[in-house]
Amino acid sequence: PATGPPPVAAPAPTQVAGGCNGAARVLQSAQLKLGSCTSHSSTTVPAGAIIGYSPTGHAPEGSPVAVTVSSGPPMVSVPSLNGISTCTGIDSAMQAAGLQASCSTRYDASPAGTILSVSPSTTAQLGSTVTVVVSRGKPAVPNLQGDTVAQATQALQQVGLAVGSVYGPSGGSIFFTSPGAGTKLAPGSAVNLYVL
């Protein structure tokens, strides 16, 4: 009586890499063929690696094997940041959703605490990083009295402002600015320096 094809050992999933194509090559070398190939998320198996297949162990030579490939960690929704205005609050919201936050601030014409950008903004892989930028509001002109022009230039650049016109002798120190110290301006605005 005919007994059919002899059983052959299916390779262990850990020996298979390269997704469906890699699985097809490994199964072919084991005298088996690729049947269906589906993807499934996994928090433990990296994307492209084989989670498992069916049948396992031994299968008749030449028979199809169904393969499940990892698509990596599952996708989760990026939480709404409405009402959150600090990096600490953003970090907490992202952690609660299973994400990491890379939060930075920058001077902007928007009120302080306004969320300027979120990337990615809708969904992200579990455990991945979401980049968020928060407005620091309009920069204020620093107190530059007694500074050199070079010191004042650096201080203005640090807050997102620029040097306008410089009046007075070179090498002197600043005695007055226009607009004055504490004035909030749009980022990139120029401040005139008066030197004695």
Side-chain angles (χ1 to χ4, degrees):
T3 57
V8 293
T14 54
Q15 294 176 309
V16 182
C20 296
N21 291 335
R25 285 192 298 275
V26 172
L27 291 169
Q28 185 177 12
S29 67
Q31 308 304 312
L32 296 166
K33 65 181 181 181
L34 179 65
S36 65
C37 187
T38 57
S39 64
H40 193 274
S41 62
S42 172
T43 56
T44 56
V45 179
I50 304 303
I51 295 173
Y53 44 79
S54 177
T56 57
H58 288 78
E61 185 178 319
S63 64
V65 175
V67 177
T68 305
V69 179
S70 172
S71 59
M75 298 299 283
V76 295
S77 293
V78 173
S80 167
L81 300 176
N82 289 343
I84 301 174
S85 59
T86 65
C87 284
T88 304
I90 290 165
D91 287 342
S92 297
M94 292 299 171
Q95 285 177 4
L99 298 166
Q100 301 296 316
S102 171
C103 184
S104 61
T105 60
R106 75 165 190 242
Y107 288 107
D108 190 82
S110 304
T114 302
I115 305 295
L116 300 176
S117 67
V118 179
S119 178
S121 60
T122 53
T123 59
Q125 280 193 328
L126 183 68
S128 66
T129 300
V130 176
T131 303
V132 182
V133 180
V134 181
S135 173
R136 294 177 73 175
K138 290 181 178 178
V141 176
N143 182 353
L144 303 173
Q145 212 164 7
D147 287 1
T148 64
V149 172
Q151 291 169 327
T153 301
Q154 185 176 9
L156 288 168
Q157 287 173 347
Q158 285 176 346
V159 297
L161 297 172
V163 173
S165 299
V166 178
Y167 302 99
S170 62
S173 35
I174 293 162
F175 71 93
F176 180 75
T177 61
S178 175
T183 306
K184 291 194 178 269
L185 303 172
S189 295
V191 177
N192 295 324
L193 306 178
Y194 295 82
V195 181
L196 273 179

